């Protein structure tokens, strides 16, 4: 299938382009970006121009930040193209509901991807937890925003989600592996004095689960989740890639290179089946944290 990539920035170049190049199912036929390009691929600066010029492009994969995402997604769906969304699927829940309605009306596929769910140890963790009772869970997602999102000012603008940009990856794993649904009880959000999105957040959820998200981590970076159950302890480390059971290594692989090929394979299946896949449960937890969370103002932040 011919696919166009929209928003040629860090994730498009780091993950989408190599995943597409390695797959016999996909042909990267066009890009849409104001500045970014991919060598040897026809480049457009506006989505409407691409949609008009390239009716042969069946799938549009959006790697934009969340705020500009809706307009591009709606344009592609209305032009009858199947659409794949980077996480988070939008800047608000209501706009993603609208995208779902447009996709239904047009009879095309909408896939809201959660790349962390394709991490190496997530499926095994889900199987292990399936018949256990969670007594307590602790998520620690602490990374250095200057290292992973250098100069990405959009992340601290309203709708950029701040520390929930990585934190929602943890919540996407959590909502996928828990045998029962979880909901938010309370939250505390730290907003830098000069920014409109939080730099750190602490969440308290049902089933004894807490989360500590922080963008100010220096030294070792941590993307861990640990659960105590009625029949042993499970830990997922390195963003869902390594599994530990009762403190012992139990599988996985410390690389994220398998995640995006898995997402494109799932997109190919969805298009073939005429289906969509839009699970908003991670984003509901984030929205609830903004709704229920107490706000603290902390030191100003600059890249
Ligand atoms: P990025 O490096 O800033 O790239 C996004 C691209 O979108 C920009 O290069 C820009 O390209 C285009 N764009 C269009 N409108 C924009 C606007 N109003 N503000 C900023 N850029 C705009 O961001 P990214 O890290 O690739 O992240 C994009 C999405 O992927 C986010 O939703 C993020 O959560 C997700 N993601 C990122 C990572 C990661 O490790 N970075 C991992 C997984 C998922 P032009 O200027 O050429 O138009």
């Amino acid at each position: 299938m011919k696919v166009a990539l929209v928003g040629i920035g860090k994730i498009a170049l780091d993950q989408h382009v190599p995943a597409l190049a390695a797959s016999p199912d996909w042909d990267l036929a066009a890009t849409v970006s104001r500045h970014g390009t991919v060598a040897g691929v026809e480049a457009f600066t506006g989505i409407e121009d691409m949609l008009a010029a390239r009716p042969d492009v069946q799938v549009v994969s959006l790697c934009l930040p969340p705020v500009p995402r809706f307009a591009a997604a709606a344009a592609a769906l209305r032009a009858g193209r199947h659409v794949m969304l980077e996480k988070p699927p939008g800047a608000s829940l209501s706009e993603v509901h609208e995208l779902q309605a447009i996709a239904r009306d047009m009879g095309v596929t909408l896939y809201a991807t959660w790349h962390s769910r394709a991490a190496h140890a997530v499926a095994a963790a889900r199987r292990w937890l399936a018949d256990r009772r969670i007594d307590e869970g602790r998520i620690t997602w602490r990374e250095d925003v200057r290292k992973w999102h250098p100069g990405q000012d959009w992340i601290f603008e309203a709708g950029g989600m701040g520390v929930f940009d990585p934190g929602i990856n943890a919540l996407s794993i959590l909502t996928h592996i828990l045998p029962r649904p979880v909901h938010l009880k309370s939250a505390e959000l730290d907003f830098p004095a000069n920014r409109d999105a939080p730099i750190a957040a602490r969440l308290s959820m049902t089933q004894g689960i807490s989360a500590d998200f922080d963008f100010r981590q220096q030294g070792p970076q941590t993307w861990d989740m640990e659960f105590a159950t009625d029949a042993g302890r499970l830990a997922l480390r390195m963003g869902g890639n390594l599994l530990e059971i009762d403190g012992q290594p139990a599988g996985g692989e410390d690389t994220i290179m398998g995640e995006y090929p898995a997402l494109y394979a799932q997109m190919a299946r969805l298009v073939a089946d005429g289906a969509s896949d839009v699970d908003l449960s991670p984003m509901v937890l984030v929205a609830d944290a903004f709704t229920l969370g107490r706000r603290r103002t902390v030191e100003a932040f600059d890249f």
Side-chain angles (χ1 to χ4, degrees):
M1 265 181 294
K2 289 187 181 166
V3 57
L5 273 184
V6 182
I8 305 301
K10 186 171 188 310
I11 199 61
L13 295 173
D14 286 359
Q15 299 292 338
H16 290 254
V17 171
L20 290 167
S23 168
D25 295 336
W26 294 97
D27 172 13
L28 176 55
T31 60
V32 180
S33 215
R34 297 162 307 179
H35 310 96
T37 57
V38 174
V41 178
E42 188 178 11
F44 296 83
T45 52
I47 183 132
E48 296 289 358
D49 293 343
M50 186 279 291
L51 292 169
R54 297 296 304 267
D56 56 321
V57 167
Q58 299 141 282
V59 174
V60 176
S61 178
L62 299 178
C63 308
L64 300 160
V67 168
R69 186 102 43 83
F70 173 80
L77 292 170
R78 287 197 179 104
R81 316 305 166 89
H82 308 289
V83 167
M84 188 164 157
L85 302 169
E86 252 300 350
K87 48 62 56 171
S92 72
L93 289 165
S94 51
E95 68 180 33
V96 187
H97 291 145
E98 200 172 324
L99 293 180
Q100 287 180 281
I102 300 170
R104 263 195 309 271
D105 288 351
M106 296 300 303
V108 293
T109 292
L110 179 65
Y111 178 23
T113 67
W114 298 106
H115 67 87
S116 292
R117 287 183 175 176
H120 292 290
V122 169
R126 180 179 157 107
R127 282 194 298 274
W128 193 88
L129 288 173
D131 52 3
R132 287 176 166 85
R133 186 193 68 231
I134 312 287
D135 291 329
E136 194 179 35
R138 196 170 57 219
I139 300 172
T140 311
W141 227 252
R142 299 173 73 96
E143 66 179 51
D144 181 353
V145 66
R146 291 190 175 96
K147 178 176 163 86
W148 301 103
H149 303 278
Q152 290 181 359
D153 276 310
W154 60 262
I155 223 164
F156 284 115
E157 289 168 6
M161 290 201 181
V163 76
F164 288 106
D165 179 84
I168 203 169
N169 296 335
L171 299 175
S172 75
I173 296 175
L174 181 75
T175 47
H176 187 64
I177 63 176
L178 286 187
R180 288 183 293 127
V182 65
H183 72 257
L184 191 95
K185 293 200 301 184
S186 63
E188 196 173 56
L189 312 182
D190 294 347
F191 285 74
N194 59 341
R195 300 283 182 169
D196 288 320
I199 198 163
R202 292 159 298 282
L203 315 185
S204 170
M205 291 169 271
T206 50
Q207 303 179 52
I209 297 168
S210 63
D212 172 10
F213 300 153
D214 206 312
F215 249 161
R216 298 165 298 191
Q217 179 76 8
Q218 305 285 305
Q221 310 281 293
T222 308
W223 300 281
D224 283 358
M225 40 215 315
E226 295 164 327
F227 299 91
T229 77
D230 58 335
R233 286 176 297 123
L234 176 144
L236 274 173
R237 306 205 185 280
M238 299 310 294
N241 283 301
L242 294 177
L243 182 67
E244 272 176 29
I245 303 294
D246 293 327
Q248 298 303 314
E253 203 181 316
D254 185 10
T255 162
I256 70 159
M257 287 315 283
E259 294 179 7
Y260 282 79
L263 300 184
Y264 278 100
Q266 169 69 351
M267 183 64 181
R269 278 192 296 273
L270 289 169
V271 172
D273 294 348
S276 285
D277 178 352
V278 181
D279 174 14
L280 294 177
S281 56
M283 203 165 152
V284 168
L285 289 171
V286 172
D288 284 356
F290 279 99
T291 305
L292 281 176
R294 285 178 39 227
R295 169 190 282 248
R296 292 192 334 149
T297 301
V298 298
E299 192 181 346
F301 176 85
D302 291 298
F303 279 103

